[in-house]
Amino acid sequence: MAIIRVHVVPNAKIDKVVGELATASPSRGGHGGGIKMKLRAPAVEGKANAALIAFLAERLKVPTRTIVLLRGQKSRDKLLRINGLDEEDAQSRLLC
């Protein structure tokens, strides 16, 4: 089971993984070592969350039901659990 932090930028031109962010805590202007992602979906009525889960499932090659949004339903900073993968495997698949 992998737990990953993600920083989402909605309303982008394309869906893509930008890369890892600074490891500073959010109170110090960082994103806690999360992975920055740009999504085309707007941040209204959960559309960006649904797009994020679909994008991650495709990128990680796992079913959408294995990805659970733990925190950040209304925030750009999100915490996700991915069942069936460990953290190293999930990050390597996302950042390749």
Side-chain angles (χ1 to χ4, degrees), residues 2-25:
I3 304 289
I4 61 169
R5 291 183 180 276
V6 175
H7 179 78
V8 176
V9 179
N11 298 321
K13 290 185 179 183
I14 60 171
D15 293 338
K16 72 175 190 174
V17 176
V18 177
E20 286 190 89
L21 296 168
T23 57
S25 68

Side-chain angles (χ1 to χ4, degrees), residues 53-74:
I53 290 172
F55 177 69
L56 285 174
E58 181 181 327
R59 184 82 183 232
L60 296 170
K61 297 177 178 66
V62 297
T64 56
R65 68 180 179 273
T66 62
I67 301 173
V68 179
L69 181 59
L70 298 174
R71 268 190 283 172
Q73 284 79 2
K74 294 186 178 186

Side-chain angles (χ1 to χ4, degrees), residues 17 28 44 47 49 55 59 82 89:
V17 176
R28 298 201 179 251
V44 293
K47 289 182 182 180
N49 290 337
F55 177 69
R59 184 82 183 232
I82 302 161
D89 195 22

Side-chain angles (χ1 to χ4, degrees), residues 19-39:
E20 286 190 89
L21 296 168
T23 57
S25 68
S27 63
R28 298 201 179 251
H31 294 286
I35 298 171
K36 184 175 182 179
M37 296 186 184
K38 291 186 176 184
L39 297 173

